[in-house]
Structures are given as C-alpha cells and as structure tokens.
Amino acid sequence: MAEDKQPDEISAEEQALADEWAAALDEAGDAGQDDIDAMLEQSNAEPRMPMEEFNSPARADGDDFDPGDSPNLDVILDIPVTISMEVGNTDITIRNLLQLNQGSVVELDRLAGEPLDVKVNGTLIAHGEVVVVNEKFGIRLTDVISPSERIKKLR
C-alpha cells in the first residue's frame, strides 16, 4: 500500500504531474457526459481498416500491392529465425548426463533411417533426410507441413 505523504513531502515530479492534470481539466472546461458520449459515437462511426488475414491467398497477377487485398509480408522477411534439424531426443537423468564422456552412446527415440524433424524457432515445419553437399551436411526436405497445420499446432 502506498505511504501517506504530508503536503510538504510532495516531490517536484508529483507537483508537475498535478499541474498538468489541473491544466488539462481547465482546458476541458465543463465538458459533461453528453460531450464524451458524442465523441465516442463519432469515433465509432468512422470506417476502420479491415484486419488483414495471413492465410489469405497470395495474388498471382503481379499487380501493384494494394493493402486492402492482402497482407504486406515484406515487413517480416528480414527477421532472423533459428532453423534446426532434430535427429531425435531422449530423457536422461542428470546423474547419467554428468557421466557422459568421449565415446559415450546416447540412445535416441528414433529408428535408423527415419526422417529428421526440421524446426523453425522450435516449431516443426518439415521432415527431411540427411544429404552431403560439397563435403558438408545438408537436409533434403521430404515432407513440408502446410501453414494451416502449423497454425493448428500453435493453438
């Protein structure tokens, strides 16, 4: 609970805030509830921009972008995300984790040859298989989860 202050203990910041409120109330004059209701009705009567839906079909005709037709995804295209490939996982105790050393084998929950999970920021988006590209590991996507299915998993 806030401490009760004596009038002589009011800080300069609190006094400035009180002065701003007093000026705003003086400026408002004798505006009553009817004036407030009229302002609210006026703001509700103004047409609003419809909410954009990200699952709406993309335009294929190549016309100029019209904000009323589809969402502008350009604003998110440069946001970095983390993509990871998961071979499998398992649960172990901390005791067993601390006993791991070079040469230890950890059994995973996947069978050999099963597809890997491809995750973006921890959300499963596809399955794939390991390939070698220019002496580096890569992944060939074998099954991509549809955007609608990904959205359902988020809920």
Side-chain angles (χ1 to χ4, degrees):
M1 190 165 174
E3 296 179 19
D4 292 331
K5 292 187 176 183
Q6 299 299 324
D8 58 336
E9 295 179 26
I10 296 176
S11 70
E13 186 177 308
E14 290 173 333
Q15 184 60 46
L17 183 61
D19 292 343
E20 285 182 41
W21 273 103
L25 290 172
D26 288 342
E27 196 174 297
D30 58 348
Q33 186 64 39
D34 293 337
D35 296 330
I36 294 169
D37 291 340
M39 287 181 358
L40 286 173
E41 285 179 28
Q42 180 182 7
S43 67
N44 289 339
E46 295 175 7
R48 294 185 179 186
M49 188 78 171
M51 294 288 289
E52 296 178 0
E53 295 184 23
F54 286 103
N55 59 357
S56 61
R59 295 178 59 175
D61 57 323
D63 287 348
D64 291 336
F65 176 73
D66 182 3
D69 289 347
S70 64
N72 184 357
L73 296 179
D74 290 340
V75 297
I76 64 169
L77 292 179
D78 292 327
I79 296 174
V81 295
T82 301
I83 185 169
S84 59
M85 286 44 150
E86 187 175 285
V87 176
N89 58 53
T90 191
D91 293 326
I92 63 172
T93 63
I94 293 176
R95 179 183 323 282
N96 291 342
L97 178 66
L98 294 173
Q99 291 174 351
L100 293 176
N101 54 37
Q102 188 173 356
S104 296
V105 176
V106 178
E107 185 179 348
L108 301 176
D109 62 350
R110 298 263 173 105
L111 297 173
E114 269 192 85
L116 284 65
D117 289 340
V118 179
K119 295 183 174 185
V120 173
N121 288 348
T123 301
L124 180 68
I125 63 148
H127 297 286
E129 59 188 18
V130 176
V131 295
V132 177
V133 181
N134 296 330
E135 299 181 13
K136 293 183 180 180
F137 285 117
I139 189 163
R140 178 182 295 123
L141 300 181
T142 56
D143 179 39
V144 178
I145 297 174
S146 69
S148 60
E149 287 297 317
R150 283 181 254 160
I151 291 171
K152 286 179 186 175
K153 287 184 178 184
L154 292 175
R155 293 181 182 170

